[in-house]
Amino acid sequence: MPAISSSVGSGAAGAAIFADSDSRKYRYFQPRGQRATHYEDVTVDVQPDPERYLIQNWIIEFADGNGAYMKDYTRALSSNWHAFRAPDQEWERTHYQRQSRIETMVQSVISNARKSGAPQTFDRAWQKILQNHLGAWKHAEFGLGTSLMQAQRYGYTQMINNATLTNSSYKLRLAQDITLYLAEIGMEIPGWDDAAGKEHWLTDEKWQGTREAVETVMGTTDYLEQYFATNIVFEPLVGELFRSGFLMRVAAANNDFVTPPVISAAEADYERNLANTIDLIYLLANDEKHGDHNRSLFKAWLKIHRPLAEKAARGLQPIWSEPHSKPVSFEDVRAQSEERISQILGELGLN
């Protein structure tokens, strides 16, 4: 293993041999592949670590003596926190570019829909569903986005923080998109109530299970548990169930060709977020030193969050009976979500 500054007790030039120390690339890490990607160049070791290069320990410490980042911010253990690389290879620039493209598409869809008078042609019952239930769902997205925003502060490496932060950003963007979308089409629909979504989120019995599941994730102090509970548990059992299984599959049958493209970006977001989460959790679950501990921990998290997500899903069942046209049953969609989480857990060895 190449020597690093902390192992030789000196930060002087030439004191240690590291990856690319004999070149002019100034790279201090071992790439995952043969060559480092742009993502690795701008992400790996951006967040310092006393075990790698900070021989003087943390530059900044809190009053209690803790450094800027602590491994015990999560109960999971790792023999090498720096091994994780996000499969989506997303960093600041690429993230802003992708978000900008999505926002351009969403605003174009909404603008064209209003110009053509599309919202007035939606089935009347479907208009109420969008007002009440899509309006409620934005609060779930906002809650999870807020939770992940808090969680990203505590990740031990920049790679983990990046993946968590972009996940949060996607959630908050969707909550904003839904808010703007409903406000825009509401101007075209007589009797529209912008406050109905919040009221249903707070008081409608159908949404209280979802509220409980989301608020439990928000109240968790372990940042990896928040990340795990969001993408491994809540999203396949509740998020995809409502977005793909209801909104995107039922909308067209009720003369709504606008809502699916507005929501569709969220499904692509989740595929990226899920790939990142699976990669990180798989590394931890198969860690050569701590794999057994981590698998037991993840199963304990499942025992907390899966029953809540299943309760949330069952609570939403009555919504499937509200549209006039019902092209898909709740039972069929629910079976698909159960199969989805089984595949995810099987890939992680947690079934």
Side-chain angles (χ1 to χ4, degrees):
M1 179 179 177
I4 55 179
S5 55
S6 55
S7 65
V8 299
S10 173
I17 297 174
F18 45 82
D20 287 332
S21 62
D22 60 348
S23 77
R24 299 181 63 85
K25 295 180 180 177
Y26 305 105
R27 184 176 296 126
Y28 299 89
F29 62 89
Q30 191 66 41
R32 171 171 279 190
Q34 277 193 324
R35 296 181 180 179
T37 63
H38 196 169
Y39 158 80
E40 288 179 308
D41 279 335
V42 299
T43 307
V44 180
D45 286 324
V46 168
Q47 185 167 298
D49 182 351
E51 294 183 3
R52 290 166 75 86
Y53 311 115
L54 290 181
I55 61 173
Q56 76 276 37
N57 209 342
W58 292 106
I59 298 172
I60 298 175
E61 289 186 346
F62 294 106
D64 59 5
N66 287 332
Y69 294 90
M70 302 293 293
K71 291 180 179 179
D72 58 7
Y73 287 150
T74 177
R75 285 170 287 167
L77 302 174
S78 174
S79 55
N80 180 14
W81 284 107
H82 297 266
F84 172 68
R85 305 285 192 271
D88 70 351
Q89 299 274 297
E90 190 145 298
W91 59 286
E92 185 177 357
R93 181 178 179 180
T94 57
H95 180 67
Y96 287 142
Q97 288 173 333
R98 184 168 186 272
Q99 290 281 59
S100 178
R101 288 194 297 269
I102 291 171
E103 284 302 288
T104 300
M105 179 274 292
V106 169
Q107 288 305 311
S108 176
V109 167
I110 296 173
S111 176
N112 290 334
R114 289 192 65 192
K115 287 178 182 177
S116 65
Q120 297 98 313
T121 68
F122 294 173
D123 180 86
R124 287 291 181 86
W126 186 251
Q127 291 175 349
K128 287 295 183 183
I129 289 169
L130 295 179
Q131 171 190 276
N132 299 338
H133 301 307
L134 180 54
W137 179 254
K138 71 180 180 183
H139 296 282
E141 297 287 351
F142 179 79
L144 294 174
T146 302
S147 173
L148 292 169
M149 179 67 74
Q150 184 269 342
Q152 68 84 28
R153 161 62 182 86
Y154 299 99
Y156 195 69
T157 73
Q158 186 74 6
M159 294 79 77
I160 295 173
N161 285 356
N162 260 24
T164 313
L165 183 58
T166 55
N167 196 158
S168 168
S169 178
Y170 288 137
K171 288 290 183 190
L172 296 177
R173 188 214 70 236
L174 178 59
Q176 173 183 274
D177 286 345
I178 294 172
T179 301
L180 294 175
Y181 171 55
L182 295 179
E184 293 258 9
I185 65 171
M187 290 189 282
E188 310 295 332
I189 300 174
W192 184 270
D193 183 2
D194 282 323
K198 180 178 180 181
E199 185 65 23
H200 278 264
W201 175 251
L202 294 175
T203 63
D204 189 338
E205 186 61 32
K206 292 187 283 293
W207 285 102
Q208 300 318 296
T210 305
R211 269 190 68 195
E212 182 182 7
V214 169
E215 290 172 7
T216 299
V217 175
M218 294 177 71
T220 299
T221 57
D222 187 313
Y223 73 91
L224 273 184
E225 182 178 352
Q226 291 174 303
Y227 195 46
F228 179 95
T230 298
N231 292 318
I232 303 299
V233 184
F234 184 88
E235 279 290 284
L237 289 177
V238 187
E240 285 188 318
L241 178 87
F242 186 71
R243 291 191 307 261
S244 296
F246 182 69
L247 292 172
M248 294 182 66
R249 296 174 70 175
V250 179
N254 290 276
N255 212 31
D256 175 8
F257 296 91
V258 186
T259 302
V262 173
I263 299 299
S264 64
E267 301 311 283
D269 293 342
Y270 177 51
E271 291 299 334
R272 299 166 71 91
N273 296 328
L274 178 62
N276 290 344
T277 311
I278 287 177
D279 200 82
L280 176 57
I281 298 302
Y282 183 86
L283 281 173
L284 296 172
N286 293 278
D287 188 279
E288 58 183 9
K289 295 181 180 178
H290 308 292
D292 291 340
H293 165 84
N294 290 334
R295 285 191 295 273
S296 296
L297 177 64
F298 299 153
K299 289 177 181 178
W301 290 347
L302 278 171
K303 288 182 180 178
I304 296 170
H305 296 283
R306 184 167 184 171
L308 292 174
E310 290 174 343
K311 175 184 174 184
R314 289 193 297 271
L316 297 177
Q317 181 174 5
I319 298 176
W320 266 252
S321 65
E322 294 186 17
H324 286 144
S325 181
K326 306 173 181 63
V328 62
S329 71
F330 175 82
E331 289 75 16
D332 289 343
V333 175
R334 179 84 172 114
Q336 291 171 359
S337 70
E338 287 290 345
E339 182 179 354
R340 171 76 147 162
I341 192 172
S342 293
Q343 291 173 343
I344 293 169
L345 297 178
E347 189 171 346
L348 294 171
L350 298 178
N351 265 338

